[in-house]
Amino acid sequence: MKIRGSLLTGLPRELLKLGGKGLSAKAAVTERGAVLLGDSVACDAFDETRPLRVVTHAHADHLVGLRRSLRSCEKVLMTAATRDLVEVMNGSLALNDGSVEVLDYGETIEYGDERVTLVKADHILGAAQVLVEDAGGNRVAYTGDFRVDGTEPLLDCDVLVVEATYGSPLCRRSFELDVRELLVSMVEKRLREGSVYVFGYHGKLQEIMQILHGADVSVPFVMPEKVFRVSKVCEQHGMRLGSLTLATDKEGRELLDGNLPCVAFYHMNARNSVGLKGSRVCVSGWEFHSPCRQIGEREHLVALSDHSDFSGLLEYVRRSKPKRVVTDNYRMSHGVTLAREISRRLGIPAVAMPRKHGA
Ligand SMILES: [Zn+2]
């Protein structure tokens, strides 16, 4: 099979190390962060050799070079929810262009002798894993970002590319307490004193709204325009988030200025400029020792993640039973460690790509 363009930069030597079926089943991560699957597909970054671009989900580190992909690729594939989220998170990107093709989970498109299928991943709304199969029966796949508990592993792949955000054995959440229940009880308690500010990333903020709404926390949820627009997309795609109010509307201003009971949702970037005197909850995955700890006079850090921890990554690979693994060493620096641990603990050949962490 012909080897094209950027594949020549790193793939053959890495695959030789892996042995097995050699170049008949191909997957790699380029130095620009593109996850290459088979002959046609580049996921989550632009690659000039690939006619198909897949966007696994709407987080910024998975939208690398999307403008170029929209100009150059024959098709740009994503779920409808991801399309809508990308549009509101990146106001200047118009995705109603002819190259964008929306796929449901489980739906397959054919390109040449390859078949591309998006499979649900539990991460943010719309997130997908990607499976590419060719006429020879080769299966290569990419997990995208995921939480293992709600994600059905792609089985028996020749090569599986796996995310490595928490790919170090140090990144294990050993606490057993239900973090969601703890978050609800903390917010309920703080609401007795007035407004509660929650800081997190897009996607996770809406998950928290859903958790609080599902637990009958019925105060207004107040938020700036961008968070509001992302939340509206989540509602359009079936999430139930509660009573949403713009922070700039009269009602929103009165609630926050008067420190009245409401939950205010802000992006993590606003943490140093908003709600400095209120009760504050920061939600982060980068916390491994305790489900909740105090980090300021009226501020707590809650360990709610939309990624698998180290044990979850290993669990996925163990259940998925791939012949070989490539870890994504572009987006996080733990790719090398995760590849080594997969080889050592599971006996499955694994390499990190690109070899030098490049995000
Ligand atoms: Zn993500």
Side-chain angles (χ1 to χ4, degrees), residues 56-62 123-124 127 144-146 163 165 306-307:
T56 60
H57 65 285
H59 280 149
D61 56 336
H62 298 260
H123 182 54
I124 62 166
D145 289 348
F146 70 97
E163 67 126 322
T165 304
D306 47 19
H307 288 267

mmCIF file of all heavy atoms in Angstrom, residues 56-62 123-124 127 144-146 163 165 306-307, ligand 1:
data_model
loop_
_atom_site.group_PDB
_atom_site.id
_atom_site.type_symbol
_atom_site.label_atom_id
_atom_site.label_comp_id
_atom_site.label_asym_id
_atom_site.label_seq_id
_atom_site.Cartn_x
_atom_site.Cartn_y
_atom_site.Cartn_z
ATOM 1 N N THR A 56 -13.574 15.190 16.573
ATOM 2 C CA THR A 56 -14.177 14.270 17.552
ATOM 3 C C THR A 56 -15.060 14.996 18.558
ATOM 4 O O THR A 56 -16.048 14.440 19.028
ATOM 5 C CB THR A 56 -13.119 13.463 18.334
ATOM 6 O OG1 THR A 56 -12.266 14.379 19.043
ATOM 7 C CG2 THR A 56 -12.298 12.575 17.406
ATOM 8 N N HIS A 57 -14.675 16.243 18.918
ATOM 9 C CA HIS A 57 -15.534 17.032 19.814
ATOM 10 C C HIS A 57 -15.071 18.483 19.806
ATOM 11 O O HIS A 57 -14.083 18.821 19.163
ATOM 12 C CB HIS A 57 -15.567 16.447 21.230
ATOM 13 C CG HIS A 57 -14.255 16.491 21.961
ATOM 14 N ND1 HIS A 57 -13.209 15.638 21.666
ATOM 15 C CD2 HIS A 57 -13.808 17.280 22.965
ATOM 16 C CE1 HIS A 57 -12.198 15.896 22.470
ATOM 17 N NE2 HIS A 57 -12.526 16.891 23.261
ATOM 18 N N ALA A 58 -15.792 19.329 20.521
ATOM 19 C CA ALA A 58 -15.666 20.783 20.331
ATOM 20 C C ALA A 58 -14.568 21.443 21.171
ATOM 21 O O ALA A 58 -14.429 22.658 21.112
ATOM 22 C CB ALA A 58 -17.014 21.450 20.621
ATOM 23 N N HIS A 59 -13.795 20.696 21.944
ATOM 24 C CA HIS A 59 -12.723 21.343 22.718
ATOM 25 C C HIS A 59 -11.615 21.847 21.784
ATOM 26 O O HIS A 59 -11.266 21.205 20.789
ATOM 27 C CB HIS A 59 -12.145 20.358 23.746
ATOM 28 C CG HIS A 59 -13.003 20.237 24.969
ATOM 29 N ND1 HIS A 59 -13.086 19.082 25.705
ATOM 30 C CD2 HIS A 59 -13.820 21.127 25.583
ATOM 31 C CE1 HIS A 59 -13.912 19.261 26.725
ATOM 32 N NE2 HIS A 59 -14.375 20.497 26.673
ATOM 33 N N ALA A 60 -11.015 22.985 22.178
ATOM 34 C CA ALA A 60 -10.101 23.711 21.283
ATOM 35 C C ALA A 60 -8.906 22.876 20.825
ATOM 36 O O ALA A 60 -8.465 22.999 19.682
ATOM 37 C CB ALA A 60 -9.615 24.975 21.982
ATOM 38 N N ASP A 61 -8.377 22.002 21.691
ATOM 39 C CA ASP A 61 -7.190 21.236 21.293
ATOM 40 C C ASP A 61 -7.534 20.116 20.307
ATOM 41 O O ASP A 61 -6.639 19.392 19.850
ATOM 42 C CB ASP A 61 -6.428 20.684 22.516
ATOM 43 C CG ASP A 61 -7.292 19.830 23.425
ATOM 44 O OD1 ASP A 61 -8.523 20.002 23.409
ATOM 45 O OD2 ASP A 61 -6.740 19.002 24.162
ATOM 46 N N HIS A 62 -8.796 20.015 19.946
ATOM 47 C CA HIS A 62 -9.221 19.046 18.920
ATOM 48 C C HIS A 62 -9.737 19.738 17.654
ATOM 49 O O HIS A 62 -10.289 19.094 16.771
ATOM 50 C CB HIS A 62 -10.265 18.094 19.509
ATOM 51 C CG HIS A 62 -9.706 17.292 20.645
ATOM 52 N ND1 HIS A 62 -9.281 15.989 20.507
ATOM 53 C CD2 HIS A 62 -9.426 17.646 21.921
ATOM 54 C CE1 HIS A 62 -8.788 15.567 21.657
ATOM 55 N NE2 HIS A 62 -8.866 16.549 22.535
ATOM 56 N N HIS A 123 -17.874 12.209 27.118
ATOM 57 C CA HIS A 123 -16.917 13.291 27.393
ATOM 58 C C HIS A 123 -17.721 14.582 27.494
ATOM 59 O O HIS A 123 -18.351 14.815 28.521
ATOM 60 C CB HIS A 123 -15.863 13.327 26.279
ATOM 61 C CG HIS A 123 -14.799 14.358 26.467
ATOM 62 N ND1 HIS A 123 -14.046 14.441 27.606
ATOM 63 C CD2 HIS A 123 -14.364 15.363 25.665
ATOM 64 C CE1 HIS A 123 -13.188 15.444 27.493
ATOM 65 N NE2 HIS A 123 -13.385 16.026 26.323
ATOM 66 N N ILE A 124 -17.765 15.409 26.426
ATOM 67 C CA ILE A 124 -18.760 16.483 26.400
ATOM 68 C C ILE A 124 -19.808 16.105 25.356
ATOM 69 O O ILE A 124 -19.602 15.175 24.568
ATOM 70 C CB ILE A 124 -18.149 17.869 26.077
ATOM 71 C CG1 ILE A 124 -17.517 17.891 24.687
ATOM 72 C CG2 ILE A 124 -17.176 18.278 27.151
ATOM 73 C CD1 ILE A 124 -17.221 19.304 24.199
ATOM 74 N N ALA A 127 -19.397 14.231 21.707
ATOM 75 C CA ALA A 127 -18.058 13.628 21.552
ATOM 76 C C ALA A 127 -18.146 12.235 20.935
ATOM 77 O O ALA A 127 -19.065 11.464 21.219
ATOM 78 C CB ALA A 127 -17.354 13.555 22.902
ATOM 79 N N GLY A 144 -10.541 9.487 20.868
ATOM 80 C CA GLY A 144 -10.862 10.860 21.265
ATOM 81 C C GLY A 144 -10.770 10.953 22.780
ATOM 82 O O GLY A 144 -10.244 10.042 23.434
ATOM 83 N N ASP A 145 -11.275 12.033 23.350
ATOM 84 C CA ASP A 145 -11.300 12.149 24.813
ATOM 85 C C ASP A 145 -12.496 11.363 25.341
ATOM 86 O O ASP A 145 -13.563 11.362 24.732
ATOM 87 C CB ASP A 145 -11.441 13.617 25.233
ATOM 88 C CG ASP A 145 -10.169 14.417 24.962
ATOM 89 O OD1 ASP A 145 -9.127 13.808 24.678
ATOM 90 O OD2 ASP A 145 -10.234 15.659 25.047
ATOM 91 N N PHE A 146 -12.339 10.719 26.491
ATOM 92 C CA PHE A 146 -13.455 9.910 27.000
ATOM 93 C C PHE A 146 -13.328 9.638 28.491
ATOM 94 O O PHE A 146 -12.253 9.704 29.069
ATOM 95 C CB PHE A 146 -13.525 8.556 26.270
ATOM 96 C CG PHE A 146 -12.377 7.627 26.613
ATOM 97 C CD1 PHE A 146 -12.526 6.644 27.590
ATOM 98 C CD2 PHE A 146 -11.155 7.762 25.998
ATOM 99 C CE1 PHE A 146 -11.475 5.801 27.924
ATOM 100 C CE2 PHE A 146 -10.090 6.923 26.318
ATOM 101 C CZ PHE A 146 -10.256 5.944 27.282
ATOM 102 N N GLU A 163 -6.260 8.482 23.860
ATOM 103 C CA GLU A 163 -5.877 9.755 24.490
ATOM 104 C C GLU A 163 -5.049 9.479 25.751
ATOM 105 O O GLU A 163 -5.154 8.393 26.331
ATOM 106 C CB GLU A 163 -7.122 10.574 24.835
ATOM 107 C CG GLU A 163 -8.007 9.982 25.930
ATOM 108 C CD GLU A 163 -8.264 10.967 27.072
ATOM 109 O OE1 GLU A 163 -7.327 11.708 27.431
ATOM 110 O OE2 GLU A 163 -9.388 10.960 27.607
ATOM 111 N N THR A 165 -4.455 12.021 28.418
ATOM 112 C CA THR A 165 -4.488 13.182 29.327
ATOM 113 C C THR A 165 -3.996 12.813 30.731
ATOM 114 O O THR A 165 -3.148 13.477 31.306
ATOM 115 C CB THR A 165 -5.923 13.748 29.409
ATOM 116 O OG1 THR A 165 -6.358 14.050 28.094
ATOM 117 C CG2 THR A 165 -5.967 15.002 30.278
ATOM 118 N N ASP A 306 -13.983 15.097 33.027
ATOM 119 C CA ASP A 306 -14.633 14.470 31.866
ATOM 120 C C ASP A 306 -13.640 13.593 31.095
ATOM 121 O O ASP A 306 -13.845 13.281 29.930
ATOM 122 C CB ASP A 306 -15.336 15.503 30.967
ATOM 123 C CG ASP A 306 -14.480 16.705 30.653
ATOM 124 O OD1 ASP A 306 -13.253 16.618 30.811
ATOM 125 O OD2 ASP A 306 -15.037 17.733 30.224
ATOM 126 N N HIS A 307 -12.563 13.204 31.778
ATOM 127 C CA HIS A 307 -11.598 12.249 31.208
ATOM 128 C C HIS A 307 -11.460 11.047 32.151
ATOM 129 O O HIS A 307 -11.634 11.173 33.361
ATOM 130 C CB HIS A 307 -10.200 12.873 31.124
ATOM 131 C CG HIS A 307 -10.061 13.922 30.080
ATOM 132 N ND1 HIS A 307 -9.613 13.654 28.812
ATOM 133 C CD2 HIS A 307 -10.296 15.249 30.122
ATOM 134 C CE1 HIS A 307 -9.563 14.782 28.114
ATOM 135 N NE2 HIS A 307 -9.973 15.766 28.879
HETATM 136 ZN ZN ZN B 1 -11.909 17.237 25.343
#
